[in-house]
Amino acid sequence: MRFDVISIFPDYLAPLELSLIGKAHQEGLLELAVHDLRDFTTDRHRTVDDTPYGGGAGMVMKPEPWAQALETVLNLPARTPGIAEAGNAAEPPVLIVPSPAGEVFHQSIAQELSQEPSLVFACGRYEGIDERVLDWASERFRVRPLSLGDYVLNGGEVAVLAMVEAIARLIPGVVGNPASLVEESHQDGLLEYPVYTKPAVWRGREIPETLLSGHHTRIARFRRDEQLRRTAERRPELLAVMDQEALDRADLEALREAGYEQ
Ligand code: ADE
């Protein structure tokens, strides 16, 4: 899978070279390129912004550098054999535009995007990118405006760091033990259960007795109850949208004990 990120702060994306994603990049499990938007300007000052039509505060990103950058990325050949070329796929590549005005990014979106051969990310700054760019781009890409959450960041870079990490870790081989992807928060619509390691008593605090029992069915039930209890307490709205078929009698009992009202 291939990731192309366009930003006026390419150094902001340097952490993608660290840890599991960086290792996956080095090993050729994924392709990653960060492009400086200013390289696609033509004036001496490498200008990427201008004042907004209609007035108002702040600056707007100019359309032309974006069109040049996006066209260039579309025509880049695949650098690693076996990784799909962005422009040659059966469908146009996905262009992710991080924005607080986008659809909220979610584990199910990460899952869906991890199946794509390539993803392009356009990091806006200032008040955003001239809207005509998105309209123009929609003839060449499948454009997805995505938000990290209901708060405002200074630009798309932090959102891209989060999204690339959430997506790339779902690519087979990126996370060493694939089983660790299964038992995580949001993977089954519930929050993760609490985890403990040695020592068995730490600063007077013991670990839940069931975890020492060696009884797999009881441990699984304990963990499931903890997931349900936590979700009811911290994120009740997740339970409300959960497929009720996925809850058995023991689940409903655990929810009742947690004080969750259906
Ligand atoms: N850019 C600014 N704020 C953002 C947010 N909440 N999500 C994604 N991109 C953004």
Side-chain angles (χ1 to χ4, degrees):
M1 179 166 184
R2 171 169 168 169
F3 298 85
D4 285 281
V5 184
I6 307 166
S7 163
I8 58 166
F9 295 122
D11 292 346
Y12 225 120
L13 286 309
L16 292 177
E17 294 303 336
L18 303 173
S19 188
L20 291 183
I21 310 298
K23 192 160 156 266
H25 183 201
Q26 278 165 22
E27 289 173 354
L29 284 173
L30 54 90
E31 188 90 69
L32 172 71
V34 182
H35 311 270
D36 187 344
L37 182 68
R38 290 193 200 275
D39 290 346
F40 301 95
T41 57
T42 48
D43 65 314
R44 206 158 56 87
H45 300 290
R46 294 163 52 92
T47 312
V48 292
D49 62 334
D50 208 334
T51 53
Y53 275 115
M59 300 291 270
V60 175
M61 294 192 108
K62 290 163 69 65
E64 198 48 33
W66 275 112
Q68 293 293 341
L70 291 169
E71 269 173 344
T72 301
V73 164
L74 262 185
N75 293 320
L76 283 175
R79 276 148 291 186
T80 306
I83 291 185
E85 255 183 59
N88 286 358
E91 280 191 289
V94 172
L95 173 64
I96 295 166
V97 186
S99 161
E103 178 189 358
V104 177
F105 187 66
H106 183 270
Q107 187 66 22
S108 61
I109 298 180
Q111 198 85 54
E112 182 190 327
L113 294 174
S114 72
Q115 310 296 312
E116 292 288 334
S118 84
L119 298 173
V120 180
F121 294 84
C123 299
R125 282 261 148 186
Y126 317 113
E127 297 307 308
I129 304 171
D130 186 311
E131 190 65 25
R132 292 168 296 179
V133 174
L134 305 189
D135 185 45
W136 170 88
S138 67
E139 291 166 6
R140 292 153 181 86
F141 295 87
R142 284 173 286 152
V143 179
R144 295 275 309 248
L146 291 177
S147 170
L148 217 52
D150 293 336
Y151 42 83
V152 180
L153 303 167
N154 284 335
E157 287 80 3
V158 167
V160 168
L161 287 173
M163 291 181 204
V164 170
E165 183 157 318
I167 297 163
R169 65 194 296 284
L170 300 175
I171 299 171
V174 172
V175 170
N177 179 2
S180 56
L181 296 179
V182 178
E183 296 174 10
E184 286 181 328
S185 291
H186 303 296
Q187 208 61 39
D188 56 4
L190 295 173
L191 302 185
E192 201 172 19
Y193 52 78
V195 293
Y196 304 86
T197 186
K198 290 169 268 307
V201 183
W202 175 76
R203 299 199 178 191
R205 288 161 168 84
E206 295 181 356
I207 63 170
E209 204 187 300
T210 312
L211 298 180
L212 297 170
S213 69
H215 195 298
H216 296 298
T217 323
R218 275 178 54 205
I219 292 173
R221 187 66 250 167
F222 169 80
R223 287 178 165 166
R224 177 84 178 170
D225 287 351
E226 286 296 299
Q227 282 192 284
L228 291 159
R229 194 184 52 71
R230 267 192 173 181
T231 311
E233 197 176 296
R234 300 177 185 174
R235 301 288 303 278
E237 78 280 11
L238 295 181
L239 291 169
V241 298
M242 211 175 146
D243 179 7
Q244 299 303 304
E245 302 275 294
L247 299 171
D248 63 17
R249 281 177 57 185
D251 291 342
L252 295 174
E253 177 58 30
L255 286 175
R256 247 192 313 278
E257 270 176 31
Y260 177 76
E261 301 286 336
Q262 294 271 4

